[in-house]
Amino acid sequence: MSLVEKDQKYIWHPFTQMKTAGPALPIVKGEGTLLIDDKGNSYIDAISSWWVNLHGHSHPYIAEKVYEQMLQLEHVVFAGFTHTPAVELCEKLSKHLPSNQAKFFFSGDGSSAVEIALKMSVQYWKNKGESKTRFVALDGAYHGETFGAMSAGARSIFSAPFTDLLFESFHIPFPKDEQAAIESLKTELAKGDVAAFIFEPLIQGAAGMRMYKPEILNKLMLICKEAGVLCIADEVMTGFGRTGTTFAVNQVEAQPDFICMSKGLSGGTLPLSLTTCTNAIYDAFLGDDIQKAFLHGHSFTGNPIGCVAAIASLELLEKEECQEAMKNIAARHKVFAEQIKTLDVIKDIRQTGTVIAIELKADSSGYASTIRQQLYQDFLSQGVLLRPLGNVIYILPPYCITEQELTKVYEVIEAKLKQLC
Ligand SMILES: *Cc1c(COP(=O)(O)O)cnc(C)c1O
């Protein structure tokens, strides 16, 4: 049996329509921005393997640090124990975070980081003797796959089978319409039972790379502050430079109470996530009463190997070279947008930092859109991995993408757009 046949026998892949999806593509090596298959074909990973990769695949510096740590200490229960990689990572990260972020809680994936922020917000109010249990989010929000994260997110085809089991949350209009978003938020907060406002700052990823300005986010956060409602910044996708700053909230004056991060945290190498919060949150859990403690922990919480990968990735991110590369990607996206903006098939082009999205007029939007499958296959056959979200083609590259590789990605997209005209 070939690898693909065995794969089809055993493996249940995410996001595939069981019957119509083609066989999975065996990848044998990753190097820089390239993924290489078993026949020697290479693909430019223009979506950073689902938004996780920062510095290219199998980066030797990260690999070395991981290997060394493996031989030193692979894992230890994190309840009551600690180690240098965890402490060093938090110390290094805190330099990039809003000044109010003081405490770091580890978990293993973005959905868990969000669950933790949601649970902490509800318990924070409970510990203070208040019953605030509802969440406000943005229309189109995506916060992860677990029940709490799904409940906070917008209802979609992903959550549809579980609708009856989701807790209710309120979704204000997407802040493209500033006034509508503000009014809706104020009305909802006035009800007095909202624990927290959760948002993907500046870019909504899964909704189709929908973007909004820091100024409006600032206004929404200030409204929450005034109403005494906690703010949760879900930076699982936007973190680690995607929006042009290390975190998207670095562009906003108001400071969130929680920040969730994962994906790029380990440079896309190992599952790791963090929920950070303020001392004010932490203090509400402090005391002698076990009922006030946050009784939540995952088996692999604080995994030292993940932590050293994250430290190594952060070191690479901080380098002048990488910061320049991020600026260069943003500048080239801008030029590309100018170059194609008059093409008739385009409904909207938007860009924030290193992420550019091209929304097509063609077909209905949404994940089930038929055009996305065609586009995906077409780009892949030309050696470029792009995974359109419905009718939105986006580029979210590792920062190490070369000039030539980026040019190729643009060329493949532009040719396709012209063909669609
Ligand atoms: C991917 C993502 C998540 C979920 O992270 P997982 O690691 O896939 O569980 C949550 N929020 C946002 C904004 C994301 O993009």
Side-chain angles (χ1 to χ4, degrees):
M1 241 197 267
S2 72
L3 177 69
V4 171
E5 284 165 341
K6 284 187 190 168
D7 173 275
Q8 286 180 319
K9 179 171 177 204
Y10 293 110
I11 298 182
W12 186 340
H13 289 274
F15 287 83
T16 47
Q17 272 144 309
M18 316 300 258
K19 270 197 149 157
T20 54
L25 187 60
I27 295 298
V28 296
K29 187 167 171 54
E31 195 172 12
T33 318
L34 297 180
L35 293 167
I36 297 149
D37 74 13
D38 58 344
K39 298 192 176 64
N41 302 310
S42 62
Y43 308 87
I44 299 169
D45 186 353
I47 57 155
S48 299
S49 279
W50 250 347
W51 322 342
V52 302
N53 191 290
L54 301 186
H55 311 295
H57 292 280
S58 304
H59 196 286
Y61 182 66
I62 302 176
E64 213 167 280
K65 294 288 175 185
V66 164
Y67 178 70
E68 284 168 15
Q69 184 59 43
M70 261 305 196
L71 295 175
Q72 185 67 34
L73 173 70
E74 88 303 350
H75 188 63
V76 61
V77 49
F78 208 56
F81 294 87
T82 192
H83 45 73
T84 308
V87 174
E88 198 184 311
L89 174 59
C90 298
E91 197 176 22
K92 265 184 101 59
L93 266 176
S94 68
K95 297 191 187 91
H96 295 273
L97 292 167
S99 59
N100 68 341
Q101 297 301 300
K103 295 289 180 193
F104 296 68
F105 197 98
F106 283 95
S107 54
D109 57 74
S111 305
S112 298
V114 167
E115 291 289 336
I116 288 161
L118 299 177
K119 284 175 73 174
M120 280 180 177
S121 336
V122 169
Q123 194 179 343
Y124 167 84
W125 291 114
K126 198 167 196 85
N127 286 357
K128 287 191 157 279
E130 294 191 51
S131 170
K132 295 192 182 194
T133 54
R134 273 189 332 118
F135 295 95
V136 170
L138 298 178
D139 172 63
Y142 175 77
H143 295 295
E145 307 289 42
T146 47
F147 274 91
M150 259 198 299
S151 300
R155 304 298 178 257
S156 68
I157 67 161
F158 305 100
S159 62
F162 316 104
T163 307
D164 294 347
L165 296 171
L166 301 182
F167 60 72
E168 186 207 315
S169 38
F170 188 82
H171 298 93
I172 64 169
F174 186 74
K176 208 133 213 151
D177 184 349
E178 189 169 319
Q179 224 34 52
I182 287 175
E183 272 161 35
S184 175
L185 181 64
K186 282 185 174 166
T187 310
E188 205 53 30
L189 298 192
K191 295 178 183 168
D193 61 346
V194 174
F197 170 48
I198 180 168
F199 50 87
E200 296 155 89
L202 310 190
I203 311 179
Q204 273 188 335
M209 299 297 157
R210 293 207 292 180
M211 300 172 186
Y212 61 104
K213 295 270 175 272
E215 294 75 29
I216 169 70
L217 177 57
N218 197 51
K219 283 183 196 169
L220 296 174
M221 287 172 73
L222 289 177
I223 291 167
C224 291
K225 301 255 161 206
E226 202 157 295
V229 166
L230 302 171
C231 289
I232 305 171
D234 177 356
E235 294 246 18
V236 172
M237 187 280 279
T238 52
F240 303 96
R242 301 299 183 192
T243 67
T245 43
T246 305
F247 292 97
V249 290
N250 295 145
Q251 297 177 41
V252 181
E253 227 170 289
Q255 298 188 326
D257 299 280
F258 296 95
I259 299 176
C260 308
M261 60 188 92
S262 186
K263 293 196 167 112
L265 173 59
S266 66
T269 59
L270 286 161
L272 185 73
S273 59
L274 271 170
T275 308
T276 68
C277 71
T278 63
N279 273 326
I281 300 289
Y282 182 74
D283 289 347
F285 292 77
L286 215 51
D288 302 322
D289 186 356
I290 184 77
Q291 287 192 12
K292 285 200 170 173
F294 189 58
L295 301 174
H296 179 120
H298 297 277
S299 316
F300 287 102
T301 285
N303 178 259
I305 303 164
C307 291
V308 293
I311 295 166
S313 172
L314 199 56
E315 283 170 357
L316 295 171
L317 187 75
E318 285 169 348
K319 283 196 170 163
E320 194 55 40
E321 196 185 328
C322 186
Q323 294 295 317
E324 284 306 313
M326 284 160 54
K327 286 192 196 113
N328 184 47
I329 292 166
R332 291 204 58 196
H333 279 345
K334 203 162 269 159
V335 173
F336 179 58
E338 275 302 309
Q339 187 179 315
I340 60 166
K341 69 177 184 195
T342 54
L343 290 177
D344 195 43
V345 283
I346 298 175
K347 186 171 164 197
D348 184 39
I349 303 186
R350 42 188 183 262
Q351 184 206 343
T352 302
T354 62
V355 183
I356 185 170
I358 303 147
E359 184 169 341
L360 306 182
K361 282 180 191 160
D363 211 70
S364 62
S365 55
Y367 189 80
S369 137
T370 51
I371 196 165
R372 78 160 291 284
Q373 194 57 22
Q374 286 170 30
L375 291 170
Y376 170 74
Q377 287 300 346
D378 206 61
F379 292 139
L380 202 61
S381 69
Q382 295 177 76
V384 179
L385 170 54
L386 287 162
R387 259 181 129 262
L389 294 153
N391 60 343
V392 178
I393 301 169
Y394 68 92
I395 312 174
L396 192 156
Y399 306 136
C400 65
I401 192 167
T402 65
E403 295 282 350
Q404 298 90 311
E405 285 165 347
L406 196 52
T407 302
K408 179 168 176 183
V409 177
Y410 293 145
E411 280 172 0
V412 165
I413 293 175
E414 188 173 358
K416 189 70 200 172
L417 293 175
K418 284 184 172 155
Q419 192 191 327
L420 289 170
C421 277

